[in-house]
Amino acid sequence: MATVVEISFLTESDRAAWEVLARGKDTYFAVDRAAADYDRTWRRLLDDDRIRGIAARLDGRVVGIAHYLFHASVWYSGKCYLADLFVDPAVRRQGVATAVLGWVARDAEEQGYPGLYWNTLEDAPARALYDRVGRLHEGLIHYGYRRGPG
């Protein structure tokens, strides 16, 4: 029997489960955030129409989250940036991330932003999935600008 993944936008009742997964993602990527950062991001996910947050459920339990945003593009009609995708390690390889990617891609296209992209670590275990469903741009290097010291 196939696993049924249910996906929907985050709601107030998802807060505790969302934070567990968001903290799990940050632990994996060695990111340290203050409680206020989670509070602010949670409010933005629910109240800011520029960004979206979704929950993936198995048997009613939140087991995956994704955060994404739409933005203009110089050469295309618009882009969708998948900022975060995290699945509970206990349920990985059951189709949750694949379902989330499909859901985000459909939502982006329905909103008029057909280009979906994301970044990941070179050695991320999820690369097997990403290499299968995405297109790797060999030779591209991601930079972030940092002003001054620190």
Side-chain angles (χ1 to χ4, degrees):
M1 185 165 103
T3 303
V4 177
V5 180
E6 297 174 354
I7 300 173
S8 62
F9 290 110
L10 290 167
T11 65
E12 289 289 349
S13 64
D14 296 323
R15 172 61 197 257
W18 169 83
E19 189 165 330
V20 167
L21 292 169
R23 287 180 181 276
K25 172 195 67 72
D26 287 344
T27 297
Y28 178 82
F29 288 104
V31 174
D32 187 31
R33 295 190 204 280
D37 295 327
Y38 293 100
D39 291 341
R40 183 180 57 253
T41 297
W42 177 253
R43 290 294 6 129
R44 289 180 69 207
L45 289 167
L46 268 58
D47 300 337
D48 188 332
D49 62 357
R50 297 171 298 172
I51 63 172
R52 295 188 175 202
I54 60 173
R57 293 175 175 78
L58 290 176
D59 298 322
R61 186 172 72 89
V62 176
V63 296
I65 57 171
H67 311 136
Y68 56 102
L69 58 93
F70 304 129
H71 64 86
S73 174
V74 173
W75 296 105
Y76 305 101
S77 61
K79 296 272 189 165
C80 177
Y81 173 60
L82 177 64
D84 300 305
L85 169 58
F86 189 76
V87 174
D88 181 335
V91 299
R92 289 185 182 156
R93 307 231 184 290
Q94 294 185 33
V96 176
T98 302
V100 167
L101 284 169
W103 200 93
V104 171
R106 278 188 302 280
D107 186 37
E109 190 164 351
E110 288 170 3
Q111 301 305 313
Y113 297 87
L116 171 61
Y117 70 101
W118 62 91
N119 300 308
T120 194
L121 298 175
E122 225 174 357
D123 62 350
R127 283 281 309 273
L129 168 64
Y130 298 160
D131 289 346
R132 191 175 77 245
V133 302
R135 184 176 73 217
L136 176 65
H137 293 278
E138 291 284 350
L140 290 180
I141 299 170
H142 173 87
Y143 286 94
Y145 182 74
R146 182 177 55 222
R147 289 183 2 179

